[in-house]
Amino acid sequence: MTDDALQRLLDEIAARMADETERGTPAQYIPELAKADVGRFGIAVAPVSGGVTAAGDADLPFSIQSVSKVFTLILALERVGGGVWQRVGREPSGNAFNSIVQLEHERGIPRNPFINAGAIVIADLLAEGRGVEETVDEILAFLRHVSGDAAIDIDPAVAASERRTGHRNVSLASFMAAEGNLKGRVKDVLAVYYRHCAIAVSCRQLAAAGRFLAAAGAAGCEQVVPAERARRLAALMLTCGHYDASGEFAYRVGIPAKSGVGGGILGVVPGIAAVAAWCPGLDARGSSLLASRAFEILAARTGWSVFATRAG
Amino acid sequence: MTDDALQRLLDEIAARMADETERGTPAQYIPELAKADVGRFGIAVAPVSGGVTAAGDADLPFSIQSVSKVFTLILALERVGGGVWQRVGREPSGNAFNSIVQLEHERGIPRNPFINAGAIVIADLLAEGRGVEETVDEILAFLRHVSGDAAIDIDPAVAASERRTGHRNVSLASFMAAEGNLKGRVKDVLAVYYRHCAIAVSCRQLAAAGRFLAAAGAAGCEQVVPAERARRLAALMLTCGHYDASGEFAYRVGIPAKSGVGGGILGVVPGIAAVAAWCPGLDARGSSLLASRAFEILAARTGWSVFATRAG
Amino acid sequence: MTDDALQRLLDEIAARMADETERGTPAQYIPELAKADVGRFGIAVAPVSGGVTAAGDADLPFSIQSVSKVFTLILALERVGGGVWQRVGREPSGNAFNSIVQLEHERGIPRNPFINAGAIVIADLLAEGRGVEETVDEILAFLRHVSGDAAIDIDPAVAASERRTGHRNVSLASFMAAEGNLKGRVKDVLAVYYRHCAIAVSCRQLAAAGRFLAAAGAAGCEQVVPAERARRLAALMLTCGHYDASGEFAYRVGIPAKSGVGGGILGVVPGIAAVAAWCPGLDARGSSLLASRAFEILAARTGWSVFATRAG
Amino acid sequence: MTDDALQRLLDEIAARMADETERGTPAQYIPELAKADVGRFGIAVAPVSGGVTAAGDADLPFSIQSVSKVFTLILALERVGGGVWQRVGREPSGNAFNSIVQLEHERGIPRNPFINAGAIVIADLLAEGRGVEETVDEILAFLRHVSGDAAIDIDPAVAASERRTGHRNVSLASFMAAEGNLKGRVKDVLAVYYRHCAIAVSCRQLAAAGRFLAAAGAAGCEQVVPAERARRLAALMLTCGHYDASGEFAYRVGIPAKSGVGGGILGVVPGIAAVAAWCPGLDARGSSLLASRAFEILAARTGWSVFATRAG
């Protein structure tokens, strides 16, 4: 697909999304996110060959939320390798993102690193032997590095809002601490977690940041992660990227992707491009209604589903 | 990959599997399956371009078991279209293949068509308005047609063995009947289910039968299913094909596949080939230990993971 | 309390119940029970000293349903003694009467003999080594004997109705068979179960039948069960007699009792009397709304709660 | 029973318990409790008529733990009356004392006030509008008052030990806060909870403290709670007093009682006496092995089961 054709497609998608009247509802449980304007929609594509094509509000910052879990997982794998999998599983959870039932049945081992409990364990792994600040700085530095944009930062109002309303996450973290699957102090681990969830990014920045995952782990001549790891991360995104609606997204779209309650979705099309779409209105299961729809149209028009028979 | 290279690779895999000493255990709960010889191993690849390359015991028949659920789902989609999804979900279950807990929590709607409860609903859909014999005949005819092998048939000893030990399936079916999600008589629906699970196939036959799924739904010039449906079936196989170990298979192998307790696994590499591997020894979660390993080696050596960056 | 005072109290209760406008709804899932007239109400008290005092529709027959489980448990204890407790527990279930979740978590051992699964195990114990007819005859003979009324019989229309709509019970029984906790054929065991649930009794008959439980196990000079067993049965009725509303009945009433979806409740006041009340309208948890209320008034007026400080 | 006969019976029980070699294990998850000497055993009976008869180590202090929940519930009922039941249920839980599964299924409403989650809600009710100190002082003052022993106090080492290892309770409290069923700060509510659980009492003090519950709510001429409330508290103790082994205790013993992981059990025999027994070795479900056995012998020898046919 030429850059021009891609631009026209994204413009068309942005125009269709602008016309949608049913737009979902912003996340209510984090007051700062509840203020978001559901009228906004952005989309950006970062091909492995370089550059970013974008449409709509692709330069407006939004809260990265759970999409950050892809990047913290990468850092944790970098740090402790396969040891990560002693403390968190790799299976779809079959439950809501913040369910505690599974934790009790499986003795404090979260099903996967993309549900809240799993991402808290990952934050604990990252913070081990370091302070909160240093850990958060490393996460930020990594995102700035892979996106090539040093301006990416945390939204302190969102971080504070999450902390104030984070009882459910305290419950999850404390439960894992009781089961011996949390090494740091609950308070410190959650400080890391809340802050990496509160990073503000635009679609353009997010697509650029995810590009190396589509490029067999490489950003230009730098191999950010081994190719095999990039492939496996894509598998995890496909099976676990949308909480208990992951099967649905795989079925309809077929692009490995991770959604966040800020309304953003980052998709990875192996060998082709990273894609970021955003609209803050969520569906019943906590993913962006219009960003999901945009991915569905994009996949249908480009054949970018990993299950499509690409000429190859 | 040339046919010769593929033949060498399959021979190598078969040789390695022959050397493995830890081979798993045949399914114990169906006496007829418990007799299977774990020393056997077969593998076959059916490229979209035609032909079948095979190695090991690729011509020995084994019990298709849950792999048949791919084909009955296709027939049900053919018959009632999207109506299928009113009665069964599309999400990974997060539970064992025969769990009843989820059914109670979700009022008799199985999570997906590949767990037992889901496949029983599919059998019910297929049997509606017809007798058991006619329904089973249609399933057999379809498998014979897509495999191009009229010799495929049911192993009556296995079917009888399943029926005699099928209390758990009676429990699942009766539960759904109580919730209004089974139209036919429990006895009849299970007669269809037991019999399609008792179909005997070889790796060669199974790979040939699955080829159209890798070929955008086409078998030669016949469009067996629309390309979009083939894509979506592959998505379902990837997210739900191995019960509560689907995430693990996606992570390690990355090929959409469906396993059965007979020890067979059918994989679909979109645009390239269908793959069947078999060894009756199972791992703790009910998939063939060596057939899984064979898929892992095959994917690593060919780059056939859907998450790999194929040159394209 | 004199017989006259008791008669006046029962008359008053019957009059108050006649005036109630909110009367609950008959069990809907058994068509034959759904026809019951919620305008009816009966109450009967059988003091340990003999005789029966009654009011309202105390001579109308109704379906005994789960109240029969007290009597089948007694017969099973008579037959196999403490061995009963290898196959069924003695704890409140915390779940609805027909839940299957607990069965899966606890490998086919029902929580107690008063939930459906538990009573099915008891029916299996009773039927072991005998035919369905012989087993049902023994249950009927026992009820006729302890009530002193040879006219008690099964309502065949109710038994047939239960069988036709018994998918949930087939599910429970088959699940236990799969776990090895059912020896007989599912069909036969349920035939026993459906028929003992379909016994028709009046309040007068039921109170008379329960009298020995209030009399330390003795009916006149016959020791029907040892005194210790009568005491323990009362404990089970108090902790498990009303499914997931047992705590509530103990809290409000304090009389060991067993309810059934036919609208009857049998209570045991140790040392004093057996009580039966009936109205077919059920509350949300499957116990008779007005029979429960009648017990509450009776306990408040007589001090018959086992938790009351009787002069003694 | 004469005082002399009672003294002989308690002496005999204490002697038998001293001879027992299988004595259970002290609670391990609270380090301070793990140090307890399982060689100790005490028992005391406080008849409604006054005085206390005791045997064994009846004057040694032990940690009251969950037995304190009876007294905090009484204070909460005093404070807000029936409003308590908007925030906590009255049903046996069917789960372990610290399970969180039920909380998720029932939206943050604990099953009863005697499991940890329920007692934390009660602590929250007591602390509302007051500081931690004032609330704890009130609880202590109440226990001192009803026991007539001003020396009862908190063991600060135990309170500190509970706080340090209380992740599971933080998890429960935070979960309820997330569901809106906790008004105070998690930290403050748990400070109250940990401290009332860390009160040290002897069997003699505990039996004296519970006497009013056996005396229709009256301590001498003071009506501490209405008679109906005393009756209902006894019902709750019987159905919910031993976590998921409440049915078993009711079945074997038949005395309303509350156990704690400190190894103490307080029983209430309506109209007759309060009983306290203690040995720090626990059984698999968290109740004292020998204190339970002592209650069983006592009930068998005295006929104090509420299900016994007392002459009256």
Side-chain angles (χ1 to χ4, degrees):
Chain A
M1 181 173 276
T2 66
D3 284 3
D4 275 6
L6 181 58
Q7 183 68 62
R8 279 195 303 274
L9 175 56
L10 298 190
D11 286 341
E12 182 196 327
I13 290 173
R16 280 177 63 175
M17 294 303 115
D19 286 348
E20 291 282 350
T21 50
E22 207 188 318
R23 308 184 72 88
T25 317
Q28 295 302 305
Y29 66 98
I30 303 175
E32 203 62 27
L33 296 185
K35 302 176 187 168
D37 175 3
V38 298
R40 300 296 187 173
F41 172 84
I43 188 164
V45 173
V48 295
S49 53
V52 173
T53 304
D57 304 310
D59 290 303
L60 279 188
F62 59 87
S63 191
I64 192 168
Q65 295 296 317
S66 292
V67 183
S68 61
K69 295 170 184 175
V70 174
F71 299 96
T72 56
L73 172 60
I74 290 168
L75 288 172
L77 286 167
E78 206 69 20
R79 212 174 184 219
V80 299
V84 165
W85 309 117
Q86 254 82 65
R87 296 185 50 195
V88 61
R90 294 193 286 245
E91 290 300 325
S93 76
N95 284 114
F97 65 92
N98 57 4
S99 173
I100 204 163
V101 168
Q102 178 265 329
L103 270 191
E104 180 157 320
H105 288 151
E106 296 171 20
R107 305 208 52 83
I109 307 294
R111 270 292 169 91
N112 67 62
F114 293 158
I115 52 173
N116 288 20
I120 290 168
V121 163
I122 296 297
D124 184 42
L125 276 167
L126 289 179
E128 205 173 338
R130 288 191 293 202
V132 170
E133 293 308 319
E134 198 183 333
T135 310
V136 173
D137 284 351
E138 190 205 10
I139 299 168
L140 261 180
F142 181 60
L143 257 173
R144 288 167 179 164
H145 174 64
V146 291
S147 67
D149 191 328
I152 290 175
D153 216 334
I154 289 164
D155 181 333
V158 172
S161 190
E162 305 225 27
R163 193 175 54 245
R164 274 192 302 274
T165 58
H167 288 302
R168 189 91 175 213
N169 288 319
V170 174
S171 182
L172 290 166
S174 300
F175 195 95
M176 293 189 291
E179 295 282 352
N181 197 19
L182 209 81
K183 312 297 180 196
R185 298 197 317 166
V186 167
K187 199 182 145 180
D188 293 343
V189 175
L190 289 179
V192 171
Y193 176 77
Y194 292 143
R195 290 176 70 190
H196 76 63
C197 285
I199 290 170
V201 288
S202 66
C203 286
R204 186 180 300 273
Q205 290 168 327
L206 189 56
R211 188 194 329 252
F212 74 98
L213 286 168
C221 44
E222 181 199 2
Q223 193 71 33
V224 182
V225 298
E228 188 191 41
R229 184 168 293 164
R231 206 155 62 227
R232 291 179 157 188
L233 285 163
L236 267 176
M237 292 169 81
L238 192 100
T239 53
C240 312
H242 308 262
Y243 315 117
D244 53 342
S246 300
E248 191 66 19
F249 197 89
Y251 185 85
R252 288 186 177 282
V253 179
I255 294 175
K258 180 76 202 80
S259 70
V261 293
I265 301 179
L266 170 64
V268 169
V269 189
I272 297 180
V275 182
W278 164 67
C279 169
L282 308 182
D283 61 22
R285 268 136 148 199
S287 290
S288 171
L289 188 68
L290 296 192
S292 298
R293 197 163 299 161
F295 264 92
E296 195 174 348
I297 298 170
L298 184 73
R301 295 286 286 277
T302 56
W304 285 356
S305 162
V306 296
F307 305 109
T309 53
R310 293 180 247 162
Chain B
M1 181 172 277
T2 65
D3 284 3
D4 275 5
L6 182 59
Q7 182 67 60
R8 279 194 303 276
L9 175 56
L10 298 189
D11 286 341
E12 182 196 328
I13 290 173
R16 280 178 64 176
M17 294 303 116
D19 286 348
E20 291 282 350
T21 51
E22 207 187 319
R23 307 185 72 87
T25 315
Q28 296 303 305
Y29 66 98
I30 303 175
E32 204 62 27
L33 296 185
K35 302 177 186 168
D37 175 3
V38 298
R40 300 295 186 172
F41 171 84
I43 188 165
V45 173
V48 296
S49 52
V52 173
T53 304
D57 303 311
D59 290 302
L60 277 189
F62 58 87
S63 190
I64 193 169
Q65 294 297 316
S66 292
V67 183
S68 61
K69 296 170 183 175
V70 174
F71 299 96
T72 56
L73 173 60
I74 289 168
L75 288 172
L77 287 167
E78 206 70 19
R79 209 172 185 219
V80 300
V84 165
W85 308 117
Q86 253 82 65
R87 296 185 49 196
V88 61
R90 293 193 288 244
E91 290 299 327
S93 75
N95 284 112
F97 64 92
N98 57 3
S99 172
I100 204 163
V101 168
Q102 178 265 331
L103 270 191
E104 178 156 322
H105 288 150
E106 296 171 20
R107 305 206 53 82
I109 306 295
R111 270 292 168 92
N112 66 63
F114 293 158
I115 52 174
N116 289 18
I120 290 168
V121 163
I122 296 298
D124 184 43
L125 277 166
L126 289 180
E128 204 174 338
R130 286 191 294 201
V132 170
E133 293 308 319
E134 198 183 333
T135 310
V136 173
D137 284 350
E138 189 205 13
I139 299 169
L140 261 181
F142 181 60
L143 257 173
R144 288 167 179 164
H145 176 63
V146 291
S147 66
D149 192 329
I152 291 175
D153 214 335
I154 289 164
D155 180 333
V158 173
S161 191
E162 304 225 30
R163 191 176 55 245
R164 275 193 302 273
T165 58
H167 289 304
R168 189 91 174 214
N169 288 319
V170 174
S171 183
L172 291 166
S174 301
F175 194 96
M176 293 190 291
E179 294 283 351
N181 198 19
L182 208 81
K183 311 299 179 196
R185 296 197 318 166
V186 167
K187 200 182 144 180
D188 293 343
V189 174
L190 289 180
V192 171
Y193 176 77
Y194 292 143
R195 289 176 71 190
H196 77 62
C197 285
I199 290 171
V201 288
S202 66
C203 286
R204 187 180 300 273
Q205 290 168 326
L206 188 56
R211 189 196 326 255
F212 74 98
L213 287 168
C221 45
E222 181 200 3
Q223 193 72 33
V224 182
V225 298
E228 188 191 41
R229 183 169 293 164
R231 206 157 60 228
R232 292 178 158 190
L233 284 163
L236 267 176
M237 292 169 82
L238 192 98
T239 54
C240 312
H242 308 262
Y243 314 117
D244 55 343
S246 300
E248 192 65 18
F249 197 90
Y251 185 85
R252 288 186 177 283
V253 180
I255 294 176
K258 180 75 202 82
S259 69
V261 293
I265 301 180
L266 170 63
V268 169
V269 189
I272 296 181
V275 181
W278 164 67
C279 168
L282 307 183
D283 63 21
R285 269 135 149 201
S287 291
S288 170
L289 188 68
L290 296 191
S292 298
R293 197 163 300 160
F295 264 92
E296 195 173 349
I297 298 170
L298 183 74
R301 295 286 286 277
T302 56
W304 285 356
S305 162
V306 297
F307 305 110
T309 53
R310 293 180 247 162
Chain C
M1 181 173 275
T2 65
D3 284 4
D4 275 6
L6 181 59
Q7 182 68 60
R8 280 195 304 274
L9 176 56
L10 299 190
D11 286 341
E12 182 196 327
I13 290 173
R16 281 178 62 175
M17 294 304 115
D19 287 349
E20 290 283 350
T21 50
E22 207 188 318
R23 308 185 70 89
T25 316
Q28 295 303 305
Y29 65 98
I30 303 175
E32 203 63 25
L33 296 186
K35 302 176 187 168
D37 176 2
V38 298
R40 300 297 186 172
F41 172 84
I43 188 164
V45 173
V48 296
S49 52
V52 172
T53 304
D57 303 311
D59 290 302
L60 279 188
F62 59 88
S63 190
I64 192 170
Q65 294 296 317
S66 292
V67 183
S68 61
K69 296 170 183 174
V70 175
F71 300 96
T72 56
L73 172 60
I74 289 168
L75 288 172
L77 286 167
E78 205 69 19
R79 210 172 185 222
V80 299
V84 165
W85 309 117
Q86 254 83 66
R87 296 184 50 195
V88 61
R90 294 194 287 244
E91 290 300 326
S93 76
N95 285 114
F97 64 93
N98 56 4
S99 173
I100 204 162
V101 168
Q102 178 264 329
L103 270 192
E104 179 156 322
H105 288 151
E106 296 171 20
R107 307 207 51 81
I109 306 293
R111 271 292 170 90
N112 67 62
F114 293 158
I115 53 174
N116 289 19
I120 291 168
V121 163
I122 297 297
D124 183 43
L125 277 166
L126 290 180
E128 205 173 337
R130 286 190 295 201
V132 170
E133 293 308 318
E134 198 183 334
T135 310
V136 173
D137 284 351
E138 189 206 11
I139 299 169
L140 261 180
F142 181 60
L143 258 174
R144 288 166 179 166
H145 175 65
V146 290
S147 66
D149 192 328
I152 290 176
D153 215 334
I154 289 164
D155 181 332
V158 172
S161 191
E162 304 225 29
R163 193 176 53 245
R164 275 192 302 273
T165 58
H167 290 303
R168 189 90 174 214
N169 288 319
V170 174
S171 182
L172 290 166
S174 301
F175 194 95
M176 293 190 292
E179 295 283 351
N181 198 18
L182 209 82
K183 311 298 179 194
R185 297 198 317 167
V186 167
K187 197 181 147 181
D188 293 343
V189 174
L190 289 179
V192 171
Y193 177 77
Y194 292 144
R195 290 176 70 190
H196 76 62
C197 286
I199 290 170
V201 287
S202 67
C203 286
R204 186 181 299 275
Q205 290 167 328
L206 189 56
R211 189 195 327 254
F212 74 97
L213 287 168
C221 44
E222 181 199 2
Q223 193 71 33
V224 182
V225 299
E228 188 191 40
R229 184 169 292 163
R231 205 155 62 228
R232 291 179 157 188
L233 284 162
L236 268 176
M237 292 169 81
L238 193 99
T239 54
C240 312
H242 308 262
Y243 315 117
D244 54 342
S246 301
E248 191 66 18
F249 197 90
Y251 185 85
R252 289 186 177 283
V253 179
I255 294 175
K258 180 74 202 83
S259 69
V261 294
I265 301 180
L266 170 64
V268 169
V269 189
I272 296 181
V275 182
W278 164 67
C279 169
L282 307 183
D283 61 23
R285 269 136 148 199
S287 291
S288 170
L289 189 66
L290 297 191
S292 297
R293 197 163 299 161
F295 264 92
E296 197 173 348
I297 298 169
L298 183 74
R301 296 285 286 277
T302 56
W304 285 356
S305 162
V306 295
F307 306 110
T309 53
R310 294 180 247 161
Chain D
M1 181 171 276
T2 66
D3 284 3
D4 275 5
L6 181 60
Q7 183 68 60
R8 279 194 303 275
L9 175 57
L10 298 190
D11 286 341
E12 182 195 327
I13 290 173
R16 281 178 62 174
M17 294 304 114
D19 287 349
E20 292 281 352
T21 51
E22 207 187 318
R23 308 185 71 88
T25 316
Q28 296 303 306
Y29 66 98
I30 303 176
E32 203 63 27
L33 296 185
K35 301 176 187 169
D37 175 3
V38 298
R40 300 296 186 173
F41 171 85
I43 189 165
V45 173
V48 296
S49 53
V52 172
T53 304
D57 303 311
D59 290 301
L60 279 188
F62 59 87
S63 192
I64 192 169
Q65 295 297 316
S66 292
V67 183
S68 62
K69 296 170 184 175
V70 174
F71 300 96
T72 57
L73 172 61
I74 289 168
L75 288 171
L77 286 167
E78 206 70 19
R79 212 176 183 216
V80 300
V84 165
W85 308 118
Q86 254 82 66
R87 296 185 50 196
V88 61
R90 292 193 288 244
E91 290 299 328
S93 76
N95 284 114
F97 64 93
N98 57 3
S99 172
I100 204 163
V101 168
Q102 178 264 330
L103 270 191
E104 179 156 322
H105 287 151
E106 296 172 19
R107 305 207 52 82
I109 306 294
R111 270 292 168 92
N112 66 63
F114 293 157
I115 53 174
N116 289 18
I120 291 168
V121 163
I122 296 298
D124 184 43
L125 276 166
L126 289 180
E128 205 174 338
R130 286 190 295 201
V132 170
E133 294 307 319
E134 197 183 333
T135 310
V136 173
D137 285 350
E138 190 206 11
I139 298 168
L140 261 181
F142 181 60
L143 257 173
R144 288 167 178 164
H145 175 63
V146 290
S147 67
D149 192 327
I152 290 175
D153 215 334
I154 289 164
D155 180 332
V158 172
S161 191
E162 304 226 28
R163 192 176 54 246
R164 276 194 301 274
T165 57
H167 289 303
R168 189 93 175 214
N169 288 319
V170 175
S171 182
L172 290 166
S174 301
F175 194 96
M176 293 190 291
E179 295 283 351
N181 198 19
L182 208 81
K183 312 297 178 194
R185 297 198 316 167
V186 167
K187 199 183 145 179
D188 293 344
V189 174
L190 289 179
V192 171
Y193 176 77
Y194 292 143
R195 290 175 72 189
H196 75 63
C197 284
I199 290 171
V201 287
S202 66
C203 287
R204 186 181 301 274
Q205 290 168 327
L206 189 56
R211 190 197 324 255
F212 74 99
L213 287 168
C221 45
E222 181 200 1
Q223 193 72 34
V224 182
V225 299
E228 187 191 40
R229 184 168 294 163
R231 206 157 60 228
R232 291 179 157 189
L233 284 162
L236 267 175
M237 292 169 82
L238 193 100
T239 54
C240 311
H242 308 262
Y243 314 118
D244 53 343
S246 301
E248 191 65 18
F249 197 90
Y251 184 85
R252 288 186 177 283
V253 180
I255 294 176
K258 179 76 202 80
S259 70
V261 292
I265 301 179
L266 170 63
V268 168
V269 189
I272 296 181
V275 181
W278 163 68
C279 169
L282 308 183
D283 61 23
R285 270 136 149 199
S287 290
S288 171
L289 189 67
L290 297 191
S292 298
R293 197 162 302 160
F295 264 92
E296 195 173 349
I297 299 169
L298 183 73
R301 296 285 286 277
T302 56
W304 285 356
S305 161
V306 297
F307 306 110
T309 53
R310 293 180 247 163

